Amino acid sequence: MPVWMCIGLVDTITPPSTFFAAYNRLTCDKEIAVSRNYGREGFPGSIVPRLQLFMDVLQNEAAV
């Protein structure tokens, strides 16, 4: 299953280094979005890629 990760570099709860470590260990199809100005709250423009990935996964599951 594909993964799309959204990382805010000013996240004060989960250090961004943990996201990068997890991302680097993934062996599936993956994409990453990084924002230097946001933290845990997410950032503008992140909803469209998430919804697109979700729709792609659902369509692939329906085709099987």
Side-chain angles (χ1 to χ4, degrees):
M1 181 165 299
V3 171
W4 184 81
M5 293 178 76
C6 176
I7 299 170
L9 296 181
V10 292
D11 188 337
T12 59
I13 297 171
T14 307
S17 60
T18 61
F19 283 96
F20 288 113
Y23 182 82
N24 289 333
R25 298 280 295 166
L26 292 172
T27 58
C28 59
D29 289 340
K30 59 188 180 181
E31 289 186 46
I32 192 169
V34 180
S35 174
R36 65 176 187 226
N37 299 320
Y38 289 88
R40 181 154 293 276
E41 72 275 6
F43 51 88
S46 66
I47 190 68
V48 173
R50 285 188 278 173
L51 289 175
Q52 185 61 53
L53 177 63
F54 185 59
M55 290 182 352
D56 292 346
V57 169
L58 289 178
Q59 288 175 347
N60 288 338
E61 290 294 319
V64 173

